[in-house]
């Protein structure tokens, strides 16, 4: 019987369950590329419920305990005295969400002598030291596509939030003012701007498709070029590297995985090469940018705005400079954990667990590491040969 150690974010401060704003979420068909939705044998939750916090348990308890497995759910994840570290040495499976990541560093993996599966309930497994997982023969899997569209919607929202100067305007409305000039002194139309994405994978492509009707000129950089028909359909300009893209656009939205090739890609030099008054939106991973370079560029006016929902570490300290830097529109890491997304990744988590516990193959598209090597989606998106994810590096 397996011990499943699941790290989830804390319940709402107003209590669990919340009062839901809506009675249901839409039923969706296949994903845009034809990949089918998660297909567990059953689910023990109602789609639209809060599943990603501790009491939601990703809807897994009934299924696991009925088969005699042990499920431990905690939000206490950091430091040597945390429940996560105490329970880790004899856990067979660790489940974690990127929004509240249980960092599986090489040191922790060395202590987790029984660990066979590190499962990301969501997308992005950089909180796992993938090199260490490769060496230890641990399978790493995530629920590919489960929240890609959720993130794309958030990125488009944050682009508009910055360019239209939404948050300062909202501030005046909410505090009794009618300060039109104060609201619009930094407000522009997106129409006519050059907008680019770093990485045109599932999220990046969805952002491009959603932005096309805004009458913008679209650009992208990716390690693989998109099909010519798609470039023509969306009017895309391809750039061979990030520098070429960064210097050619007014808005950059980052959608690459975090790995050595993207770690600190947006440093002071690259940001300094951007047009004055550019905007950066980063819903990928915080360590793709250099934290203090962003702050300095906002203060100097090189950047007109920065938004995103990814930080390092997570949760960030109360005095993290991104909380108070000028012209930011930050959110906590929420874009991929809407109630809509949770239904999909909870179902996908159960699908992966069902296969793993029954000794069946996990869907290839869900695999990041398997059999001592990068595999599936991981083989395409991450870097192999001893230079896989740093397991979230030391600086943010
Ligand atoms: P995909 O795997 O569909 O896309 C990733 C894309 O990144 C691929 O097209 C890949 O290229 C490209 N890529 C990889 N390395 C580089 C590089 N060095 N330079 C440029 N492009 C590169 O993943 P998703 O679009 O679904 O997700 C992307 C990332 O977004 C995740 O890894 C995760 O970090 C983040 N994310 C954030 C969430 C949130 O809640 N904020 C939720 C979900 C994901 P190719 O395959 O062509 O080689």
């Amino acid at each position: 019987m397996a011990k499943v150690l699941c790290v989830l974010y804390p319940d709402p401060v107003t209590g669990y369950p919340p009062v839901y704003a809506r009675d249901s979420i839409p039923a969706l068909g296949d994903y845009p590329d034809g990949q089918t939705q998660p297909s567990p044998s059953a689910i023990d939750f109602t789609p639209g419920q809060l599943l990603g916090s501790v009491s939601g348990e990703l809807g897994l308890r009934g299924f696991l305990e009925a088969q005699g497995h042990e499920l431990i759910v905690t939000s206490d994840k950091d430091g040597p005295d945390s429940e996560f570290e105490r329970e880790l040495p004899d856990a067979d499976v660790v489940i974690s969400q990127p929004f509240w990541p249980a960092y599986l560093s090489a040191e922790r993996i060395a202590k987790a002598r029984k660990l066979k599966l590190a499962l990301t309930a969501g997308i992005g497994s950089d909180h796992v030291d993938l090199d260490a997982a490769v060496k230890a023969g641990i399978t790493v899997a995530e629920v590919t596509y489960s929240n890609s569209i959720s993130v794309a919607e958030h990125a488009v929202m944050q682009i508009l939030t910055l360019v239209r100067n939404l948050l300062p305007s909202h501030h005046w409305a909410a505090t009794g003012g009618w300060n039109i000039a104060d609201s619009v002194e930094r407000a522009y139309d997106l129409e006519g701007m050059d907008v680019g994405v770093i990485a045109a994978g599932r999220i990046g492509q969805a952002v491009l498709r959603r932005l096309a009707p805004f009458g913008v000129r679209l650009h992208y950089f990716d390690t693989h070029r998109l099909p010519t028909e798609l470039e023509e359909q969306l009017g895309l300009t391809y750039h061979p590297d990030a520098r070429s893209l960064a210097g050619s656009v007014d808005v950059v939205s980052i959608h690459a995985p975090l790995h050595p090739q993207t770690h600190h890609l947006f440093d002071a030099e690259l940001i300094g090469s951007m047009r004055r008054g550019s905007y950066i939106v980063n819903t990928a991973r915080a360590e793709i940018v250099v934290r203090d370079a962003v702050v300095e560029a906002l203060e100097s006016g090189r950047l007109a705005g920065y938004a995103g929902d990814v930080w390092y570490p997570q949760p960030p300290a109360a005095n993290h400079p991104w909380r108070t830097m000028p012209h930011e529109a930050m959110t906590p890491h929420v874009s991929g954990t809407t109630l809509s997304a949770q239904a999909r990744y909870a179902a996908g988590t159960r699908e992966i667990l069902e296969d793993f516990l029954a000794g069946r193959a996990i869907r290839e598209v869900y695999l990041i590491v398997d059999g001592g090597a990068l595999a599936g989606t991981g083989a395409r998106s991450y870097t192999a040969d001893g230079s896989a994810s740093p397991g979230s590096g030391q600086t943010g």
Side-chain angles (χ1 to χ4, degrees), residues 179-196:
N179 298 49
I180 310 291
D182 295 286
S183 300
V184 302
E185 66 177 9
R186 295 178 64 87
Y188 298 90
D189 293 349
L190 186 62
E191 185 180 24
M193 287 191 176
D194 289 284
V195 183

Side-chain angles (χ1 to χ4, degrees), residues 148 151 202-203 222-224 257 259 283 309 333 335-336 380-381:
S148 299
V151 178
R202 292 171 181 83
I203 299 174
D222 194 290
T223 42
H224 294 87
H259 62 129
T283 52
D309 74 331
H333 193 164
S335 66
R380 192 172 161 88
S381 282

Side-chain angles (χ1 to χ4, degrees), residues 98-99 122-126 142-151 154 197-206 221-226 242 254-263 265 282-285 288 308-310 314 332-337 368 377-383:
F99 326 103
I123 302 174
S125 296
D126 49 273
E142 58 186 50
V143 192
T144 303
Y145 231 139
S146 59
N147 55 13
S148 299
I149 303 302
S150 321
V151 178
H154 196 95
V197 297
I198 299 288
R202 292 171 181 83
I203 299 174
Q205 274 184 53
F221 158 59
D222 194 290
T223 42
H224 294 87
R225 201 158 170 170
L226 294 171
I254 303 175
H255 301 294
L258 174 65
H259 62 129
Q261 287 168 10
T262 57
H263 186 259
L265 177 65
N282 180 9
T283 52
R285 285 296 178 262
I288 296 174
D309 74 331
V310 285
Q314 291 188 168
H333 193 164
V334 292
S335 66
T337 185
I368 302 298
T377 296
R380 192 172 161 88
S381 282
Y382 289 91
T383 312

Side-chain angles (χ1 to χ4, degrees), residues 239-255:
H239 293 265
D241 52 47
R243 183 163 190 115
S244 166
L245 180 131
S248 307
V249 299
D250 304 291
V251 182
V252 169
S253 194
I254 303 175
H255 301 294

